Structure formats: structure tokens, C-alpha cells
């Protein structure tokens, strides 16, 4: 028997599946613990779905537990087996309590009947409940597509939850979808569930957009410093804006600067964060380059979410995690939803460290979320009408370490000068420092923010469709060339499909979890295609 099986991300071994250890660094034991956590979370979800069916309420605490469990199993979020197993224990305890509230306990799936808190029994059962437990490869493919989409959605939902925004409909959907992946369903029924997942994805991203902008203001065009100052600093990475807010408040007046890294760069454009004078620039690039960058930073790093690259001993003790993130041997800062986290330890640590070593200098321009772009709408529409802008290219998504991703840099450079790139997510680091210029004052790279801010790109596309009096967004001069890596990109992709967007190009490889037949369905119904070489794609899009 193989030791593990995971194929949820783009870098899966041989583009088929990680079976001994993850390319990401996830060990077989942790992979098994995550599989078991997902299994009992599905069981809990079957119970909550039935409770709702019986007209009984499910608490926010239970909804949050489900989301956090899913989030903790996203690629590069949590490598700490103890933390994963603590979640499993809590989930089984909650499940045991809720099961008793059911009027009807007949025919619950095995996962929902699981009650044992004995870890040996978990380990004995684990080899039989993972991805490969579904034998039919098309059913497995669709079930996993739903689960990965729901994982991405759970992450976005959790970011809204920490800002005290909840959408019971989204939570109820996530739990029903998880429960339905354990039921006997036809391919057609599962394709329907995939599209429903995309619809819920749109709702989840809208919820987060509302949560972020109502608390922190609308992102605005901002020049971000890439160099460093002379004070000690803390580097914040990941996606959680609430963690950043608390850290900025607690570091104010301490002489410690706060820098952003990776997916935290978009925070630089929010009015509520820009007001802090010790909120220094952005340091480094996308997640995969963190080993060299975290080494050079010299001070403590706060990982609020994925993507963690397993840290070497040299900086493991100054890599702090919080929320769903975790790494064994690295300090973890606790704090639940609605609680004030105590960052005094990491701040004291920063004071003992030297100022960061400069990696680069100069600036970049960010902050083109929907509100900012729509305030420029007249200018944009005029530029399209005059022919100054010929096409928009959506290049949102994730970055990754595979060499082939240099395609995205080359593609951005090869684009005709009358095109505008719309981006969101860490995929942008492949081209956001290239100085591609502007068209009549409109930068050629419009960065809407984090991967979840792909929602902004949807709003921008819808506004352009209306401005040009078109029936659908597919009639716009808009190309989709999306880069994916982990499960958040999956929910973004499913959200776009549910909105009727066609002909999305996905790279650098199609997901390994898409079986040939499922790929066929996506090609026939949605025109999904893998990207080609830069030359082929220039020919395809611009000939
Ligand atoms: Fe492999 Fe990706 Fe799974 Fe890590 S998350 S074990 S790299 S498929
Ligand atoms: Fe990047 Fe991990 Fe996905 Fe939020 S930080 S886009 S890969």
C-alpha cells in the first residue's frame, strides 16, 4: 500500500499524485491526519445538513469549525500533525454532541457515525478513507473538484468570519456539498454540484469583499515601496487582513516596522492600513521564494495562512504562525474569531533582530480593485472606444516554483502594448515589477489584490459589459489566462464558470485530479483549455 495520496495542487508529483511525501514538504503522517480530518468533517457536515433539514439551527461556532478544518488542509497551510489531530478530536466531540440532537439517525454515512477519540483507531481507519477510496475515476475527480473548491471557499469565508461577517447560506452549502460527496451520485449530478460550488464561491467572495471594504475602506491606487528602512521589522505574509490590523495596532510606537510579503501586498492599498507610519513597504516576491527572502529579512515573520515553505532550522524559530497555519517547531499565536490576539512575543522578538537586509528598491503601483477601477471607468471605456486599449487579459491566480511558470513573465512581456493585464493573487509576481508602462495614464498591469479579489475582476468585467451594452461578458475583448496552484484558485475558477465565463485558459498544467472524461466535459461545455507556448498563445489570442 502506498503511504499517502494527495493530488490537490498543481505541483503534485509527476502531475499524477504525491505518494511518498508531498512536493510541498507535507509528510505522509500529516497527509493521513489531514485525510482523516476531512473525513470526520464530512461526517459532521452530514449531521449538520440533516439538522438543518429537520429545522434545527446550526451555530456559527460549528460553521467556523468546519471552515477552519478545511482551511487547515489547504496546500502549504498547516504541516503540524498535532494541530491537525487536535482539530479532529474537537470535530468528533462536536459531532458526538450534535448526533444526539437528530430526530432521525438512520442511514448516516460511516463518517457521521464515527465517535471514537482513540487515535490508534483513527490511524487504522485512515488508509481506507482518502481520495483513492472512490474507485471510479470520474466520480473521484468530480468529488475532489467539489472538495477542493469548498476548501478554497472555506478559506475566503474564514477571512470574512474573523471580520464578524457570516453568510449562513454559504456555510450550509459548504456542509451540504461535503456531505453529498459521500453519497452515491451520477456524473451529471456531481457536475451540477460543481457548478453550485462555483455559485457559492461568488457569494463567498462577495461576502469577503464587503467585509474587507466596509472595515478597511476601498483599496486605492498606491505606490508601494520595495526597499527597507533602518528599524527592526516584522514581515507579514498570507491573506488574513484582521491579523495584520491587530499587528499594526500593537506595533504602533514600538519602533518596529511592519512589512508585507506575498499575498499581503494588497494590504498596502487599504486606507485603514496606509495611515500607519510604521507600515513599511513590501518585501520580496511570491511564496515560493520565501526561503531566501525570510533568511535575508532577519527578523520575525508572521504567516497568517498559506503558503508556508517548510523552514530550515536557521529561521524556524522566527517563523510564527497563526490561525489555520501551523508548522511543528515554529511558534503559534492563538486567538479565535472575535478575540484580540497577543502579538507581544513576536514584537519583543523583532526588537532583538537587526533591520531587514535590502533585496531590491524602487516601487510598484497597486490598489486596482473594483472601486478604484470603476472610478476610472470613463477613461477606460474611452480608451477602448478610441482603440488605445484593444484587449484585456485576465492573468489572475497563483504563482508556484515550477520552472515552466516563466511562461507568464514571457507572455506578459510579449503582449501587444495596447493590452491591459487584470490580475489578482500571487500570480502577479511573475510580471508586476516589469515596468510594462501605461496606456494614457492607465497602468498596463491593474492589480486588484489577493486571489479572492478576483471577485473585483468579475465586477469590472460586468461593468464593462454594461458600459458597452453587451449581452454577456464573453463578448468583451477579454482573454482569460489563469495560473493555478492551490485550492483557492479552484474556487475562483469554478466561480467564473458559474458566471458563464467561457474559454478560460488554465496553466501551467491542467489539474491532475481532472480525469480525461471530466476534462472533456469542461472542454465541451466551457471551452477550458491548457495554455500553450508563448508563441502559440500570441498567435491564438492576437492573430
Ligand atoms: Fe503533493 Fe500538492 Fe498534496 Fe503537497 S498539496 S502533497 S505537493 S499534491
Ligand atoms: Fe498564492 Fe499560496 Fe494561491 Fe492567494 S499564496 S494565491 S498560491
Amino acid at each position: 500500500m502506498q503511504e499517502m495520496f494527495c493530488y490537490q495542487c498543481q505541483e503534485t508529483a509527476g502531475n499524477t499524485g504525491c505518494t511518498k511525501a508531498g512536493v510541498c514538504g507535507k509528510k505522509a503522517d500529516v497527509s493521513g491526519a489531514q485525510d482523516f480530518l476531512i473525513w470526520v468533517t464530512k461526517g459532521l457536515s452530514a449531521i449538520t445538513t440533516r439538522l438543518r433539514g429537520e429545522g434545527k439551527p446550526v451555530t456559527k461556532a460549528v460553521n467556523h469549525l468546519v471552515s477552519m478544518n478545511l482551511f487547515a488542509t489547504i496546500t502549504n497551510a498547516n504541516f503540524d500533525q498535532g494541530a491537525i489531530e487536535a482539530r479532529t478530536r474537537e470535530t468528533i466531540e462536536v459531532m458526538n454532541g450534535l448526533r444526539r440532537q437528530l430526530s432521525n439517525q438512520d442511514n448516516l454515512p460511516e463518517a457521521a457515525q464515527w465517535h471514537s477519540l482513540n487515535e490508534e483507531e483513527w490511524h487504522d481507519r485512515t488508509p481506507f478513507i482518502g481520495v483513492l477510496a472512490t474507485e471510479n475515476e470520474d466520480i473521484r475527480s468530480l468529488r475532489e473538484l467539489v472538495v477542493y473548491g469548498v476548501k478554497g471557499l472555506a478559506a475566503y469565508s474564514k477571512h470574512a468570519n474573523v471580520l464578524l461577517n457570516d453568510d449562513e447560506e454559504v456555510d450550509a452549502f459548504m456542509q451540504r456539498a461535503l456531505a453529498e460527496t459521500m453519497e452515491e451520485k451520477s456524473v451529471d449530478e456531481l457536475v451540477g454540484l460543481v457548478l453550485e460550488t462555483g455559485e457559492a464561491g461568488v457569494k463567498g467572495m462577495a461576502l469577503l469583499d464587503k467585509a474587507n471594504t466596509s472595515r478597511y475602506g476601498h483599496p486605492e491606487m498606491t505606490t508601494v515601496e520595495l526597499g527597507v528602512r533602518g528599524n527592526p521589522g516584522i514581515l507579514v505574509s498570507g491573506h488574513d487582513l484582521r491579523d495584520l490590523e491587530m499587528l499594526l495596532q500593537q506595533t504602533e510606537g514600538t519602533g518596529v516596522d511592519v512589512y508585507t510579503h506575498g499575498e499581503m501586498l494588497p494590504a498596502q492599498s487599504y486606507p485603514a492600513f496606509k495611515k500607519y507610519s510604521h507600515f513599511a513597504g513590501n518585501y520580496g516576491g511570491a511564496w515560493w521564494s520565501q526561503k531566501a527572502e525570510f533568511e535575508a529579512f532577519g527578523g520575525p515573520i508572521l504567516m497568517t495562512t498559506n503558503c508556508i515553505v517548510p523552514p530550515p532550522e536557521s529561521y524556524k524559530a522566527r517563523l510564527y504562525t497563526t490561525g489555520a497555519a501551523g508548522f511543528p517547531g515554529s511558534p503559534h499565536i492563538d486567538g479565535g474569531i472575535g478575540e484580540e490576539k497577543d502579538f507581544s512575543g513576536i514584537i519583543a522578538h523583532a526588537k532583538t533582530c537587526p533591520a531587514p537586509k535590502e533585496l531590491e528598491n524602487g516601487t510598484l503601483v497597486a490598489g486596482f480593485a473594483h472601486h478604484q477601477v470603476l472610478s476610472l471607468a470613463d477613461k477606460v471605456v474611452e480608451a477602448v472606444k478610441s482603440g488605445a486599449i484593444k484587449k484585456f487579459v485576465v492573468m489572475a491566480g497563483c504563482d508556484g516554483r515550477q520552472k515552466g511558470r516563466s511562461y507568464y513573465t514571457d507572455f506578459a512581456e510579449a503582449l501587444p502594448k495596447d493590452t491591459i493585464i487584470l490580475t489578482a493573487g500571487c500570480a502577479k509576481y511573475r510580471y508586476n515589477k516589469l515596468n510594462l508602462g501605461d496606456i494614457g495614464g492607465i497602468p498596463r498591469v491593474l492589480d486588484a489584490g489577493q486571489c479572492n479579489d478576483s471577485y473585483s475582476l468579475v465586477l469590472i468585467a460586468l461593468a464593462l459589459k454594461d458600459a458597452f451594452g453587451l449581452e454577456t461578458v464573453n463578448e468583451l475583448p477579454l482573454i482569460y489566462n489563469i495560473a493555478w496552484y492551490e485550492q483557492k484558485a479552484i474556487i475562483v475558477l469554478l466561480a467564473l464558470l458559474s458566471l458563464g465565463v467561457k474559454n478560460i485558459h488554465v496553466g501551467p498544467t491542467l489539474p491532475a485530479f481532472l480525469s480525461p472524461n471530466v476534462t472533456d466535459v469542461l472542454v465541451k461545455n466551457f471551452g477550458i483549455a491548457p495554455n500553450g507556448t508563448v508563441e502559440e498563445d500570441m498567435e491564438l489570442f492576437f492573430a
Side-chain angles (χ1 to χ4, degrees), residues 243-256:
D243 287 334
L244 174 69
E245 181 187 18
M246 289 186 275
L247 184 68
L248 283 169
Q249 287 164 346
Q250 293 178 35
T251 41
E252 197 170 21
T254 62
V256 173

Side-chain angles (χ1 to χ4, degrees), residues 4-13 16-19 21-27 31 34 73-76 79 148 401 485-487:
M4 63 179 272
F5 185 83
C6 179
Y7 64 174
Q8 67 176 355
C9 84
Q10 189 271 328
E11 292 185 0
T12 194
T16 50
C18 295
T19 56
V23 172
C24 58
K26 183 164 80 175
K27 302 227 165 69
S31 185
Q34 292 189 353
T73 70
I74 272 188
T75 301
N76 292 339
F79 296 81
Y148 303 153
R401 63 197 127 197
Y485 171 61
E486 38 80 50
Q487 299 74 52

Side-chain angles (χ1 to χ4, degrees), residues 336 434 536:
L434 289 180
E536 286 164 354

Side-chain angles (χ1 to χ4, degrees), residues 75-76 156 239 263 287 306-307 397-399 425-427 450-452 485-486 488-489:
T75 301
N76 292 339
Y156 294 159
H239 303 70
E263 275 285 69
W287 66 271
N306 58 323
C307 277
C398 309
D399 199 6
C426 64
Q450 297 180 335
C451 45
N452 46 286
Y485 171 61
E486 38 80 50
K488 296 180 190 179

Side-chain angles (χ1 to χ4, degrees), residues 264-457:
M264 204 51 93
L265 159 63
Q268 299 278 352
S269 305
Y270 282 90
F273 304 136
K274 285 169 75 170
K275 69 176 192 215
Y276 291 99
S277 60
H278 66 297
F279 192 31
N282 191 68
Y283 191 85
W287 66 271
W288 58 272
S289 56
Q290 69 186 245
K291 266 196 185 162
E293 292 166 0
F294 289 0
E295 200 71 74
F297 187 74
I301 302 116
L302 178 65
M303 293 298 309
T304 63
T305 69
N306 58 323
C307 277
I308 299 174
V309 175
E313 287 303 325
S314 55
Y315 66 77
K316 196 191 246 180
R318 55 180 171 88
L319 184 86
Y320 289 71
T321 62
T322 190
F327 196 88
S330 285
H332 184 83
I333 298 169
D334 286 326
I337 290 172
E339 288 172 12
E340 183 72 17
K341 291 185 183 178
D342 177 4
F343 290 118
S344 56
I346 189 171
I347 296 169
H349 191 161
K351 288 181 181 166
T352 68
C353 297
K357 198 192 280 174
E358 188 160 272
L359 294 176
E360 57 189 331
N361 50 40
T363 57
L364 58 75
V365 182
F368 293 95
H370 57 90
H371 189 265
Q372 175 66 81
V373 175
L374 296 184
S375 72
L376 299 170
D378 290 351
K379 216 172 162 182
V380 174
V381 169
E382 200 40 54
V384 175
K385 286 193 174 148
S386 73
I389 297 177
K390 289 262 168 38
K391 274 193 178 159
F392 297 92
V393 190
V394 175
M395 291 181 73
C398 309
D399 199 6
R401 63 197 127 197
Q402 278 187 346
K403 283 213 170 61
R405 286 184 186 256
S406 57
Y407 161 89
Y408 293 103
T409 311
D410 300 341
F411 181 88
E413 278 181 324
L415 281 170
K417 302 281 174 278
D418 52 12
T419 50
I420 296 268
I421 295 173
L422 300 175
T423 192
C426 64
K428 64 171 143 280
Y429 284 103
R430 290 283 170 176
Y431 43 80
N432 68 343
K433 296 173 186 169
L434 289 180
N435 289 324
L436 294 177
D438 63 279
I439 300 178
I442 304 166
R444 287 195 51 229
V445 179
L446 293 180
D447 174 11
Q450 297 180 335
C451 45
N452 46 286
D453 295 310
S454 299
Y455 176 71
S456 258
L457 304 182

